[in-house]
Amino acid sequence: MKRVVALLLIASVVLFAAVAPQSSLKNANELQRVKTTTNAVAKTTPVINSDVKTRDINLSNAPALAVDPSVVTIVYLEDFENGANGWTQFDGTAPDPLAEWHLDDFQTGDSLWWCGAYSVGGYLSNWNVALETPEIVLTAGDSTLSFQLNLHVESPGGEPEGYDAWDGANVQITNDGGATWTVLNPTGVPYNASSLYSFGYIFEMGPGQPGWAGAVSGEAEVDLGAYIGDTVKLRFVFCSDGGFDASDDGSMFGMEIDSIDVAGDATYNGSVTDGLTSVWAGPVASGAYWAIEDRVDSIPSPTHVLRNWVNGDTTYARNLEDYYVSPTITLPDEPATLIYCDFDFWADFQDEVGEFPATEYWRLEYSTDDGETWFGISEIEGENFVYSERIPQWYAFTTAYDASCNLTDFAGQDIKFRFYFRSDEDKPGGQGLMIDDFVVYTKPDLPIPQNVTATLNAGDVDVAWQDMNATYQLPKSWMGLEAVDYAYYMPGASGAFSSLPDTTGSSWAMSYSTDGKDITFTSLDYVFANNNPSNDSVQIVLWGIDTAGYHPLYISDVFVPDAVTSQQSIDISSEGVVWNGDFEVEVFWVSNSTYPLTFAGDGEGTIYVPGAGYYSVSYSVPFGASGYGEVTYSGLEYNLFRRVASQSVPVEIATGLTSNSYTDEDADNFVEYEYTVACATPSFTGNVSSGASVFVYPPDVEEAKHDDGTFEAVWALGMDTTVVVKITPTAYPATLEAVRFNALWAGDAYKIKIFKDDNGMPGDSWLMIEPPVTAIAGWNAFSVLNPLTVDNGNGVVLRDGESCWIGVKGATAAERAWLAADTSSFSGMAAMQVPGGGWASVAPFMMANPMIRGYFDTSIDTTSIEDFVPTEYVLNQNYPNPFNPVTTIHFELKESGMTKVDIFDVAGRHVRTLLNGTVDAGAYDLNFDASALSSGVYFYRLTSGSFTDIKKMSLLK
């Protein structure tokens, strides 16, 4: 935002504002806040291209309409079915009706040409208006243009790079009927600015537009000798930007011109018009095209929508800056209540260029000061977005853009909204912007459950959380600071800046409100800047304000502020300061200030000057307070959600819970889950908690690991660098069912490989999980195919005393994969292989356990029945059957050979392989533990040589 100079003439104090360049993308809190006239509709362009970002739509969410009125309380609804009661529209490209030159005796008693408005005694924002002469034929002889000039506009200082003044004026000439205009170079009162921001940036003429700025007056002259013999027109052009104007400082009257003599060929004495005209010199107005349309297609609430389009055409107009403004809506102020807005929209436009800002875009704005200043609805969350994507159908705004539109901070206030649609000069395509069902609503302010835990217990997951039915102290902070890169030189300044002889007793103050709630204050907060070379001392006062006046709630000791640029606090928690209503935090300078001490942001602060009193200024100050208000919740229910770690959307698995715990018996094995909880009422679910993660595996499966679960370092793995961990089960035979590894970043690609152990180092490759995996952040889990097999290369089965090595490496040539490592207690069971080298311990590189884990099933065993050679192949019925969860499968082989036992579910899907390898002739009992499976009917199949048989079994849990 542009920071401007506030002149307190009575006190002779000058405040100077430093300004960041506006030629690059900036944070939302740097958006240019534009003041507008109160007796004309606000016409300010709300989005400056350098201040905003485009926001991507989330089309992975299913289309959803704005709200379900059965679960919220409607404060305001406009569905456009009966027009748009109280809504108005205007064209933002149209000139301000007050922006004109006219004959007046303003402040002089003598008639002259004045560019100003009586409503404020001067000029307003975003004017670009010219006083233009009729055509004049310049004859030989006199070649001098002379005129009386009197100008008072915003003083130069703190402009963005490429500019040296804000508002201003110049004189121009044309000799081609107005097709082109040339800026003239006057003498007598020469230009004092070489690049005016208002001309160059706001009205897009580019840097290098010279003119007068600040306060200048006198008789100016211009040599017109180069135009003798031409037919010319002259114009005096006044231009202002969207910031400081006469509504902020009434001494800035604008511009006055009198006694114009055009080389003796024409004179204008300012008493009659003499053919001079006031001409809007800005862009040509494009028109206002919002209309209520009757549609027969599928729309949110048939049969009418708000649409920006050209009536009688199929699309919208070019060069639009169209606004649609709501009536004033009073927001409720009720305890434990949240306030939101939402609407349905269809942005059906397609630009030929398509790159912001040379494209179509739109947004919703809000104002809490009756339209004087406007902000993007996204700025409530701290970002300044416009929306430029074409979408295929109707969406709810909050669904499409993951926006909350939370208005709760404005409870009890009057608020207005307006839709803004901007199109560029390209040929329009699409139906335009359509809006329906704009709604403001409330819902219960439910707490967010805390301390959520998820614990694996015998294959089930026990989820627990803090019971929120209690009384809580909810923290609250008030702070005027918004943008720390703008320094205000207050209360005094050294060097060339004006300052009071003694600023002792001067102060800055910021006003706040508890919004009707009892607040217990715990601290006074402040930010000071620079190095305080004169060791100025200050004192902070907390005032309570009511109808009886100001009451000192707390007065700090006198102290010398540190040279800090971050928030500092004075602890007053033991003082028992409680207040409900308006309050103010004021900082007094106890000693004379000779150097700037503070930062400031947007808002309305107050300055006090001894002997002159208090004055309002259009800046907030970084002095505030913190505290808490108590709130009691009762009768809360809970809804529980479960999300697979590799997926983005959680699933609701339990609702209406009245206790603060739940056992999930339906979680699948070898899956990483995250559990979240939300407080609920019978009709509404609040915001979900932070998540608790757990990896689910059966009780008969053991976890083999060396890390402690917390990473302190990372391995940067390329395609040729493999890190492995030696894993040894505690019982045999052991089947490797699953592996896990912990990735630092989402999106990195890994290859997972399992090696046989060869005398304490990785040997032959046993199994590779294909294809390479794209990791999520945190733990990644993968099942091992064909989990129980003999050593034939199709799986991993460890026999007595055997170990295996589980390893990962990067899978992308140009990038590295970042594997988490635990350095708290090195096991020595880790090795690495680097390009061109063999295996070696990781110890020389980093004493760390790579966070890789294995999961072994030791419950399945094949037992040979001795002294029995079958004469035929036999597959018996398992026993017991039905079973839970262990059963025995008896089979007989009359010949040695490759033998395989597979399990299938009732749909024919392969579930597990119990045996796969060469087996000698004989009779065998195969024990099968189905703890990892769900209840149901399963089939088991024996294949040996040319023999195949299938039996059915039932698992009942």
Side-chain angles (χ1 to χ4, degrees), residues 521-526 554 568-575:
F521 287 97
T522 57
S523 68
L524 300 181
D525 309 319
Y526 59 89
Y554 180 83
Q568 306 292 302
S569 296
I570 299 173
D571 186 358
I572 63 171
S573 57
S574 62
E575 301 295 326

Side-chain angles (χ1 to χ4, degrees), residues 751-754 765-772 785 793 809:
K751 288 185 177 180
I752 306 170
K753 203 169 187 179
I754 303 164
S765 173
W766 208 334
L767 183 70
M768 178 180 287
I769 295 179
E770 292 284 5
L785 299 179
K809 66 177 181 178

Side-chain angles (χ1 to χ4, degrees), residues 48 85 269 276 280 305 322 347 553 584 702 736 745 841 920:
I48 304 301
N85 187 27
N269 62 17
L276 271 66
W280 177 252
V305 298
D322 278 6
L553 304 178
E584 187 172 274
E702 68 174 33
L736 185 63
W745 306 114
S841 171
D920 292 335

Side-chain angles (χ1 to χ4, degrees), residues 20 27 63 94 99 133-134 170 196 289 319 342 347 446 458 489 578 641 715 733 763 790 792 800 825 869 875:
N27 293 331
T133 70
N170 59 30
L196 289 162
Y289 290 95
N319 298 312
D342 203 357
L446 302 181
Y489 294 73
V578 180
F641 301 85
W715 295 95
V790 294
N792 67 343
D800 291 345
S825 58
V869 178
L875 176 63

Side-chain angles (χ1 to χ4, degrees), residues 389-406:
E389 289 185 289
R390 185 180 190 180
I391 66 168
Q393 59 195 75
W394 286 97
Y395 274 81
F397 177 73
T398 56
T399 301
Y401 288 108
D402 295 325
S404 68
C405 297
N406 191 334

Side-chain angles (χ1 to χ4, degrees), residues 489-643:
Y489 294 73
M490 174 60 203
S494 59
F497 301 128
S498 300
S499 64
L500 294 174
D502 182 2
T503 58
T504 301
S506 297
S507 72
W508 274 98
M510 193 70 191
S511 297
Y512 303 99
S513 173
T514 69
D515 295 325
K517 300 175 177 62
D518 290 331
I519 297 297
T520 300
F521 287 97
T522 57
S523 68
L524 300 181
D525 309 319
Y526 59 89
V527 175
F528 291 102
N530 298 311
N531 56 5
N532 193 14
S534 56
N535 289 321
D536 302 327
S537 55
V538 300
Q539 190 172 32
I540 304 181
V541 178
L542 175 63
W543 300 96
I545 308 171
D546 58 19
T547 55
Y550 281 70
H551 310 279
L553 304 178
Y554 180 83
I555 302 175
S556 78
D557 295 333
V558 176
F559 67 98
V560 177
D562 297 329
V564 298
T565 56
S566 60
Q567 181 172 312
Q568 306 292 302
S569 296
I570 299 173
D571 186 358
I572 63 171
S573 57
S574 62
E575 301 295 326
V577 179
V578 180
W579 186 255
N580 186 332
D582 295 334
F583 67 95
E584 187 172 274
V585 180
E586 186 167 14
V587 176
F588 288 91
W589 266 254
V590 179
S591 62
N592 184 31
S593 176
T594 58
Y595 201 82
L597 287 180
T598 188
F599 284 138
D602 308 322
E604 297 292 335
T606 303
I607 182 175
Y608 171 75
V609 179
Y614 286 92
Y615 296 89
S616 295
V617 291
S618 57
Y619 320 116
S620 65
V621 292
F623 310 134
S626 297
Y628 63 85
E630 287 191 345
V631 60
T632 300
Y633 296 102
S634 61
L636 295 174
E637 298 176 350
Y638 303 100
N639 294 347
L640 181 64
F641 301 85
R642 184 181 67 197
R643 179 179 65 85

